Amino acid sequence: MPLSPSHPLIDGRTTQAPLIRAYRGDRPERTPVWFMRQAGRSLPEYRELRAGGDMLQACLTPELASEITLQPVRRHGVDAGIFFSDIVVPVLLAGVDVRIEAGRGPVIDAPIRSASDVLRLRPIDPDALAPVREAVALTVAELGSTPLIGFAGAPFTLAAYLVEGGPSKDQLRTRALMHSDPHTWAALLNWCADVTGEFLRAQVEAGASAAQLFDSWIGSVSQRDYLRRVAPHSRRAFDHLRGLEVPKVHFGLGTDRILTEIKGLGVDAVGIDWRLPLDEASEHLGGDVPVQGNIDPALLSAPWPTLRAHVDDVLERGRTAPAHVVNLGHGVPPETDPDVLTGIVRYVHGESQG
Ligand code: CP3
């Protein structure tokens, strides 16, 4: 089914937005910029709205999720909103008992580690996604010509939370399962691809103008395992967008060895973490893929001249790619001074527009 006639990419609201043009390989007059985790604890208005409330409950309250999504767009003047939600929301909506612990992340008390655990996993009921659709629709109605980016967790990263039962340093149990029981692994990743793919599709159908898959923990996987045991499932997640013509973006940490394989997923743009200079990334990608990134989040607390020199370097290296969307190399740290983010937006826009 194609995008509806009232979708912002079809009725023209976001078609010429700098972000969309850049994802499609163009160099708009204004270099687009947004920040991963721009909605969140760095903003006092977020902390006030969230005070005391449960994180996942907030994600599923449409008015609240929409308002939180809009906060950083209003404050910073970024070129995109990123939908306020979490990668484990579709897991919760499919009936898995998951919660988010502040300062830690997603926690699952009954981890999924065996064939019978995987057999018990149910598909997501399309009706369960209603609050997501509603929140996206409310947000897009407010955003006008600013595109909303929909997102989802990639199957590997989701599986890592399910198998480990929470955040982990090396994903040892996850990689052990991948090799000791390849059939269970494949079934688990297919399930992850389908719930996350449906979550992504719901956002795009409801009005998101781009779709980003986050594979935050993929850096622990070898190139060979990525190709054989992970990439087909990431492709399956994106396949849920078939027929919906929105730019597809991939972001992962520590992806320098697997950029060719990521390009092979058929994505329109690739997000790069802060460790790999964008000119090198672009070279690995064959020089024909738009890149996104990669200001080091650590430098957000540095004096402005230091940060500015770093931003200049990122912009300079980004010029070697066909197109560049400025972002951080990972999420905004909660203790970031929001004025620094606003300053980066003004600087990047000013530089690109003379
Ligand atoms: O602006 C945005 O980017 C908004 C939406 C967003 C959130 N999580 C909100 C959130 C997005 C895109 C995510 C993705 C996400 N969630 C990822 C992939 C990106 C990445 O950071 O690598 C991952 C791995 C998660 C899992 C997760 N959820 C973690 C590790 C945490 C942090 C726990 C903590 O307290 O430090 C969360 C919670 C979370 N997700 C918060 C927000 C705003 C903080 C919760 C709070 O305010 O109490």
Side-chain angles (χ1 to χ4, degrees):
M1 207 175 60
L3 294 172
S4 88
S6 59
H7 189 282
L9 278 178
I10 302 297
D11 71 17
R13 269 175 287 166
T14 59
T15 321
Q16 294 302 320
L19 178 90
I20 300 302
R21 287 179 56 194
Y23 281 158
R24 292 188 162 151
D26 196 6
R27 285 213 166 255
E29 303 70 51
R30 187 174 93 209
T31 301
V33 48
W34 66 278
F35 305 107
M36 292 187 280
R37 289 282 177 88
Q38 63 189 17
R41 282 171 297 182
S42 66
L43 301 185
E45 58 269 36
Y46 169 84
R47 295 195 297 267
E48 196 176 314
L49 262 189
R50 274 289 326 282
D54 176 71
M55 166 71 191
L56 292 174
Q57 218 38 61
C59 293
L60 294 171
T61 308
E63 296 75 17
L64 192 52
S66 173
E67 174 58 23
I68 294 173
T69 304
L70 293 166
Q71 284 177 343
V73 182
R74 291 194 200 107
R75 182 192 264 264
H76 302 308
V78 279
D79 291 274
I82 171 114
F83 181 51
F84 177 78
S85 194
D86 195 83
I87 59 168
V88 294
V89 163
V91 171
L92 177 73
L93 295 179
V96 174
D97 198 5
V98 53
R99 62 180 189 280
I100 290 183
E101 281 184 8
R104 182 150 179 242
V107 175
I108 291 140
D109 289 327
I112 313 292
R113 292 180 184 162
S114 67
S116 63
D117 293 339
V118 174
L119 271 175
R120 278 195 297 273
L121 295 170
R122 304 268 61 105
I124 204 163
D125 173 356
D127 290 342
L129 289 161
V132 170
R133 295 174 185 276
E134 201 182 323
V136 168
L138 287 172
T139 309
V140 166
E142 293 291 319
L143 279 173
S145 60
T146 303
L148 178 71
I149 301 171
F151 79 92
F156 177 83
T157 290
L158 272 189
Y161 281 109
L162 292 168
V163 174
E164 307 289 337
S168 64
K169 199 158 86 53
D170 303 322
Q171 295 83 47
L172 290 179
R173 284 197 186 92
T174 311
R175 281 181 288 125
L177 179 67
M178 177 191 288
H179 290 282
S180 54
D181 190 349
H183 290 293
T184 298
W185 174 255
L188 174 60
L189 264 78
N190 279 341
W191 182 84
C192 289
D194 290 343
V195 295
T196 219
E198 285 306 292
F199 175 57
L200 199 54
R201 188 159 72 99
Q203 295 167 62
V204 169
E205 284 177 345
S209 291
Q212 176 162 319
L213 208 60
F214 282 89
D215 214 349
S216 305
W217 310 136
I218 198 57
S220 70
V221 171
S222 72
Q223 183 198 32
R224 182 183 154 89
D225 288 343
Y226 185 74
L227 193 59
R228 292 175 33 179
R229 310 230 182 264
V230 177
H233 305 284
S234 292
R235 201 171 294 121
R236 177 172 171 139
F238 275 131
D239 276 349
H240 285 257
L241 298 181
R242 197 171 281 162
L244 303 170
E245 295 291 315
V246 294
K248 296 190 283 289
V249 185
H250 183 283
F251 171 77
L253 291 174
T255 55
D256 33 329
R257 299 148 298 107
I258 55 169
L259 286 175
T260 308
E261 289 73 20
I262 289 171
K263 181 182 180 180
L265 299 175
V267 294
D268 297 277
V270 175
I272 304 293
D273 82 28
W274 69 95
R275 288 166 290 201
L276 183 67
L278 290 182
D279 51 337
E280 284 180 43
S282 181
E283 200 182 314
H284 288 314
L285 287 164
D288 57 0
V289 182
V291 294
Q292 177 169 279
N294 67 348
I295 297 168
D296 185 343
L299 292 200
L300 296 174
S301 62
W304 172 241
T306 307
L307 175 56
R308 186 184 54 206
H310 176 56
V311 173
D312 282 338
D313 185 59
V314 167
L315 286 168
E316 181 67 30
R317 293 176 190 275
R319 285 189 192 102
T320 63
H324 181 198
V325 173
V326 175
N327 205 310
L328 305 180
H330 198 192
V332 175
E335 59 281 4
T336 303
D337 174 356
D339 290 345
V340 171
L341 299 176
T342 310
I344 293 175
V345 174
R346 295 215 177 112
Y347 184 73
V348 169
H349 285 168
E351 280 301 287
S352 50
Q353 289 183 305

